[in-house]
Every structure is written in structure tokens, then in C-alpha cells.
Amino acid sequence: MNKAMKLTCGPLTLFYQDGFVRYIQHGSDEVLRMIYFALRDENWVTVDLSIVNETIEEHQDGFAIRCEALNRRDGKVLITWQISIQVKRNGSLVFSINGNVLEDFKKNRAGFCVLHPLKGVIGEPVVLSHPDGTKSEHAFPTLIVPATPFKEVTGMRWRINAKWYNLKFEGDIFETEDQRNWGDASFKTFCTPQRLPFPAPLRKGDQISQRIEFHCENSEPSPVIDNMITISKGSSILRLPEIGIGSSPSEEFTEKIFGLLKDIKFDHYRIDVDLSNPEWPDIFSSDVLAGQRLESPFEIALHLPSDPRDETDKFINLLRRERIPVRKVTLLSKNELTTKDLHILFIPLLREMIPGAEFGIGTDFNFTELNRYRMNKSDADYVTFAVDPQEHATDDLTVIENAEAPYWGVASAFDLYELPVHVSPVLLKRKYNPYATDPAAFIIPEEERFDARQQKQFCALWTLGSVKSLVNAKAAGATYFQAVGVHGILSAEGEPYPVYDVFKLLSDKRRFGYFYATTSTAPLHVDALWAEDGPVIVWNYTDQTQEVLIEPLKKTVILSPHAFEVIEFTT
């Protein structure tokens, strides 16, 4: 992936990267987060795209960007694209794509997507144009909505900071979804309408032609104040949620691994128990032995079959016989998107059998399942859902943007269920694809789940950002990653990955148990957690050295690229 190139043209500033445009700003206001196009297959997997023959020309009226793009899979080119982006000094942008299908293919989407930022957009009015020539008035939702809020769209007029902006779409009908449902920090306007059947066939020789026009109604942008990044402290004080780690059933724990994990003192150790698997007692016992060595309370994710009575009795008897201390039990319905009423009815009985434990309901998938498939909460102590930042895109910038998204899932879940909210598991890359057309694609293979960034500083920085999001949302708890292995915080040999240091730092509850609400003037570059008793954890997402002002102390900090530091001082 090429590095993003900053372009300034009249009142607009934007970044161009690999055929897409990002962070379109009118003065100091971000008005669009991204305009891009995508080919997604019948299982909603995004097909790889490569850019060739790229030219960028500046002329008297603005910039002209032209390139070709290729969608490839298994060595075959599926679609070739001709791309044209015109950026004018009058504050307008025209983006067109023309695709030529070279192979038969089943698609769920092929064409443009527009991402809208959250800041300055949430709660603001929008006027939609429709294919029949009519218009309708709406507003961008504040909390996450389950249904598609804007449908049958050919144009949009919306407001940010008292200024109005316009989009016009050609070549397909568009609609807007609340991407926060899937862990993205944006709204997305996309084609084709989901009322149409999918997957839909693309045939060799088919043509795809689309065009987007954007312009500002107000020529005068908000003034850009080019000061250094500033970290400010609010007055409210927020608690760090309970933080646990996931088990690693296929990994051997050495004495070195036990020692390193015990040093962190996790609030819980999550073990998944699939009662439909005949071998669950042996797997569970092995996981328990590891957890007991860590001296962490257990959180059990209990995956229940349609008739769980006999296996549930075995599970309870095993807990009693081995005297296994359990802090939480999350009831999950096997092969279902959320916990079903049949299994929620077991909670009173389990509460008698496992005294002192809390019982939760929810999903092992995205927040959208809690939102769309409402549960009977009457006997539950908490609700839970999973988070990953790569549901729609995998590049570094998108993943960093999405560190903010758990806030909205927690806030919306609490609004729906009025129960404490736990986020479990938090993963860099998802384990399941519940939206796959092919049932065989439901469980994502290990090789596809691998993300080399898990073992790098990037994961440590993203984890700090996601923890801040959970702190701000007043989440009750979170389970991160797994203990050991390629999806863990330690290698199989017991070598700590950089993210280990984050959890080691946060485990010192005397210093980092409570935080002030904190804001950054450039949260996609530098952000911070400001502890109640003084220290500030500051991190730099970027590959450039950043100068940061810590207010109200008037203390300036120089942050190295891709680094985090603890700034010590007394208030």
C-alpha cells in the first residue's frame, strides 16, 4: 500500500491513496472520511485490489488523478477498472469508475462506498434525493440503529458545523447503513440496495459504470488552526473496566509463560465451553488447569446446544467436584446469533447451582446482533458482544479509526438493555463470519485470521485506543485476545509481544484504576488516557515524531513514531 498523499485544492484538503480518497476536509471540518469502491464476494469477503498506471496532475483548476485497478482472486483478474478523480479549486470533487468484468463471479457488492465521519455528523439533518425525484428529511442517528436509516438514495444534502454539503450518485441506487453495528466508526452510503437479491451474478463482459459528485455549498471554510496536538483533561472521572484474557486451548504453557501472565493479574480468564462437543470435559479441564495457575477468576462462555440439560448437569458437577471458582457465566446459544429464551430460562437454576457467579447473555459476534435480535433480559446480570476493527477493511488507517467504535456499541447496548455491558472477546481480527452465504465459511480458517500486526507495536497502540473507548463508554468489562500464540499477547515460546506491556501497565490499578475524560485535538494521530492520580499514557499512531502539548500543565512532550509513553507528574 502506498503512503497517503496530502492534496490541498482551494478550500478542500484530502488524502489520496491507492485509488481512493480519504479525510476530505473543508477547512478544519472533516466532511467525508473516505470515498472508495469495493468488490465483495458472496460471503462478504473483500476481493484484493491493486492499482497500476497511476498519474496525478496539477493544473490551474485543480488536480486530475487517473489510474487503473485490478480485482484479483486465485491468480485471475476478475474486473479491471478505469478510475478518474477530479478535484476542483471551487470545492468540488468528481469520482468516476468504469469496470470491465473478465470472469463470471458472484458478488454481494461491486461499486462505490462513501464513509461519513461521526464527529460533527451525528444528530445533524440530512435531505435525501430519491429515484422518483422526491426528497425526504432525516437526521444521522445518535445511538446505533438496527435498520438501514436512509434508503433509495440518489443524492444527499447534509450539514456539518452550520455548513451544507452535497453528494450526487449515478450508476446505481444507494443507501446508508450505521456501520457502528459492525465495529466501524462511520456511517456508510453504498450500492446496491439490499432489497435486491444477493449474491448476484456478474458475467464476463458486463460493464459497471458509476459516478459521484461532491461539492460544498459554502465557499468559506472553517478556519484551520495549525497548532501542535493538544491533550486536554475533563472533569469527570471514569473507571477502568475489568480486563481479562482469553484462553489458549491449543498452546502449551511453560513456567516462563505462567510467570509473565501472573505478573499482569488479569481480572478474569475466559474459557469457551462448547457443550455440543463430546470432548468438552477434557478440553475444559485442560483450560482450567492453566487458569488456576494464573490465579485469575474464571469467565465461562457456555455454548449451549438446543437441548443442553444433560450436558449442563455434567458441567455443574465438574465445577463442584473440582471446586472451580467462577466469576461469570455467559450463556450463548450454539448456531444462533444471540442467546435464545430457551437458554435464558436456565439462569435461575444455574444461579442456585453456581452461587456467587454473575450470568450474562448476548452474542459472540458483532453488536448488530444485540440490536437486531432483542433478548429477554429479565434474569441476566449483564449483556455482551464481540468487537473487531476489520469487519469491512484491513488497512492500518481504518483499524486506527475503529478504535473509537466500541464506545458506541457499549452506549447503545446499555440503552437497549439497561444492564452492565461486557465486550468479549476483543480481537484484532474476527473468528467467525456469521453473514457468509456458504455455511462452510462461518468459521474463519486460522491462516486467514492471522494478522502480523498482533505481534507488533501497532496492536499495542490500537489496544490503548480501544481501552480508552471502553473507559469513556463506562463498560463493565472486556476480554482481550488470547494468552498465548499468534492471536495472543505472548508467543508460543513465551516472548512478550508489545501489547503485553499495555496490559502489564494497566494492571497497576493503584495508578490506572480511574481516568479523567480526556480529549485530543488529533485523535487519529495522538491520543491519551489521563489517570486520576496524575500519570498520562500518551501514544502516537503515526510514523512521524509528534510534538504534543499536555494541558492544563503546559507541558510539551516529544513522542517517537509508533510509541507510547507514561508521562509522570503531580497535579
Side-chain angles (χ1 to χ4, degrees):
M1 181 173 66
N2 295 324
K3 188 174 180 179
M5 176 186 298
K6 184 177 181 179
L7 301 177
T8 300
C9 190
L12 294 183
T13 301
L14 58 89
F15 286 81
Y16 169 77
Q17 183 181 37
D18 296 326
F20 305 156
V21 291
R22 309 181 79 127
Y23 309 127
I24 300 172
Q25 288 190 207
H26 185 226
S28 61
D29 297 321
E30 182 186 0
V31 293
L32 291 175
R33 176 139 290 181
M34 193 174 183
I35 305 176
Y36 68 104
F37 60 96
L39 175 64
R40 303 192 73 184
D41 70 12
E42 71 272 21
N43 294 316
W44 292 104
V45 175
T46 302
V47 180
D48 289 340
L49 184 76
S50 58
I51 302 296
V52 295
N53 300 329
E54 184 179 61
T55 63
I56 302 174
E57 298 176 353
E58 184 176 8
H59 47 74
Q60 184 176 359
D61 195 33
F63 288 90
I65 303 170
R66 293 182 177 84
C67 59
E68 298 175 24
L70 310 173
N71 283 120
R72 283 193 180 93
R73 171 162 290 181
D74 299 329
K76 293 183 178 180
V77 177
L78 304 179
I79 302 180
T80 61
W81 301 90
Q82 301 296 320
I83 303 162
S84 171
I85 305 171
Q86 305 286 332
V87 188
K88 301 293 184 67
R89 301 194 189 280
N90 63 1
S92 67
L93 181 151
V94 178
F95 195 154
S96 63
I97 55 174
N98 291 281
N100 181 31
V101 180
L102 302 183
E103 298 283 345
D104 292 352
F105 186 75
K106 290 182 179 179
K107 61 94 176 179
N108 285 351
R109 180 168 302 149
F112 273 127
C113 297
V114 176
L115 301 187
H116 308 262
L118 302 179
K119 183 179 178 182
V121 170
I122 285 176
E124 288 295 309
V126 57
V127 180
L128 305 178
S129 300
H130 302 291
D132 62 2
T134 61
K135 296 182 184 294
S136 60
E137 297 183 2
H138 305 264
F140 283 97
T142 301
L143 294 177
I144 307 174
V145 294
T148 304
F150 310 148
K151 296 183 178 181
E152 302 297 311
V153 177
T154 57
M156 303 179 72
R157 180 178 183 262
W158 76 103
R159 186 177 70 187
I160 297 177
N161 197 16
K163 298 177 177 64
W164 288 88
Y165 302 92
N166 282 271
L167 281 169
K168 180 181 178 183
F169 303 98
E170 298 178 6
D172 205 336
I173 307 301
F174 286 69
E175 56 190 38
T176 303
E177 69 185 10
D178 194 335
Q179 281 210 127
R180 296 174 296 174
N181 274 299
W182 298 275
D184 288 72
S186 58
F187 301 100
K188 178 167 69 180
T189 301
F190 62 91
C191 64
T192 305
Q194 290 186 313
R195 61 176 169 77
L196 299 178
F198 61 86
L202 286 173
R203 304 296 186 193
K204 182 176 180 179
D206 286 351
Q207 302 292 311
I208 303 168
S209 182
Q210 296 178 10
R211 188 171 187 267
I212 290 179
E213 295 182 12
F214 163 81
H215 76 269
C216 317
E217 288 189 14
N218 309 81
S219 58
E220 286 298 319
S222 301
V224 177
I225 303 173
D226 192 19
N227 288 338
M228 73 176 69
I229 298 170
T230 301
I231 302 297
S232 302
K233 180 179 71 173
S235 58
S236 58
I237 296 175
L238 306 165
R239 184 180 65 84
L240 179 72
E242 293 183 356
I243 293 181
I245 192 75
S247 64
S248 307
S250 62
E251 301 289 346
E252 295 289 335
F253 283 30
T254 64
E255 291 300 318
K256 179 181 180 181
I257 287 172
F258 280 124
L260 287 167
L261 292 175
K262 285 178 69 174
D263 283 347
I264 292 181
K265 300 179 178 62
F266 283 107
D267 292 308
H268 60 264
Y269 185 70
R270 169 170 164 157
I271 297 176
D272 284 75
V273 181
D274 181 359
L275 294 185
S276 66
N277 182 350
E279 299 179 359
W280 75 259
D282 292 336
I283 299 170
F284 178 57
S285 297
S286 176
D287 281 340
V288 166
L289 287 175
Q292 288 174 329
R293 289 284 303 274
L294 300 181
E295 300 175 4
S296 295
F298 290 105
E299 175 186 288
I300 309 296
L302 200 58
H303 301 258
L304 300 167
S306 56
D307 185 357
R309 286 172 292 185
D310 291 343
E311 295 303 319
T312 301
D313 288 343
K314 291 179 185 177
F315 172 73
I316 293 172
N317 290 335
L318 182 57
L319 291 184
R320 287 174 165 177
R321 185 174 68 250
E322 302 297 332
R323 298 182 180 179
I324 298 169
V326 177
R327 172 172 287 183
K328 292 183 175 63
V329 179
T330 302
L331 303 183
L332 301 171
S333 299
K334 179 80 172 178
N335 299 324
E336 300 287 350
L337 295 176
T338 57
T339 312
K340 309 313 291 181
D341 286 350
L342 167 69
H343 296 141
I344 295 172
L345 291 173
F346 272 76
I347 291 178
L349 175 62
L350 292 172
R351 202 182 295 280
E352 292 181 11
M353 300 296 183
I354 314 174
E358 295 180 5
F359 293 87
I361 58 175
T363 182
D364 235 10
F365 314 125
N366 296 302
F367 168 77
T368 188
E369 317 312 340
L370 295 189
N371 212 4
R372 290 179 173 175
Y373 307 102
R374 306 294 171 85
M375 299 175 295
N376 175 7
K377 67 171 188 177
S378 57
D379 293 315
D381 298 309
Y382 62 90
V383 295
T384 182
F385 63 95
V387 160
D388 81 272
Q390 300 188 65
E391 195 71 27
H392 295 106
T394 63
D395 61 280
D396 288 358
L397 290 175
T398 296
V399 174
I400 290 167
E401 292 165 9
N402 292 343
E404 173 194 357
Y407 171 89
W408 295 103
V410 172
S412 300
F414 183 79
D415 182 72
L416 283 176
Y417 293 98
E418 297 180 322
L419 290 173
V421 180
H422 292 253
V423 182
S424 180
V426 181
L427 303 171
L428 198 58
K429 206 166 186 179
R430 63 184 179 171
K431 296 166 62 176
Y432 306 109
N433 181 7
Y435 317 113
T437 302
D438 180 1
F442 175 82
I443 298 177
I444 298 175
E446 280 294 310
E447 62 272 15
E448 293 182 21
R449 284 192 59 217
F450 174 74
D451 189 328
R453 293 172 295 187
Q454 180 81 32
Q455 304 166 23
K456 297 179 181 178
Q457 188 75 357
F458 181 91
C459 184
L461 302 177
W462 180 83
T463 298
L464 282 166
S466 67
V467 167
K468 177 176 180 176
S469 180
L470 295 172
V471 167
N472 288 343
K474 302 179 183 178
T479 307
Y480 275 85
F481 310 127
Q482 65 182 46
V484 180
V486 295
H487 311 300
I489 65 173
L490 297 170
S491 73
E493 296 73 34
E495 296 303 317
Y497 299 143
V499 70
Y500 173 91
D501 296 328
V502 170
F503 294 117
K504 180 74 179 296
L505 182 66
L506 294 176
S507 69
D508 186 351
K509 299 294 177 59
R510 293 169 300 174
R511 301 172 71 214
F512 299 111
Y514 291 86
F515 295 93
Y516 289 100
T518 308
T519 57
S520 167
T521 56
L524 297 181
H525 294 88
V526 172
D527 214 338
L529 280 162
W530 192 314
E532 182 186 15
D533 66 350
V536 181
I537 308 171
V538 189
W539 57 94
N540 178 6
Y541 288 119
T542 75
D543 59 2
Q544 298 178 340
T545 299
Q546 300 287 355
E547 186 176 9
V548 184
L549 175 64
I550 309 292
E551 284 192 338
L553 306 169
K554 306 303 179 187
K555 182 180 179 68
T556 301
V557 176
I558 304 299
L559 275 180
S560 300
H562 301 305
F564 71 90
E565 295 184 20
V566 179
I567 312 301
E568 303 279 1
F569 56 84
T570 56
T571 55

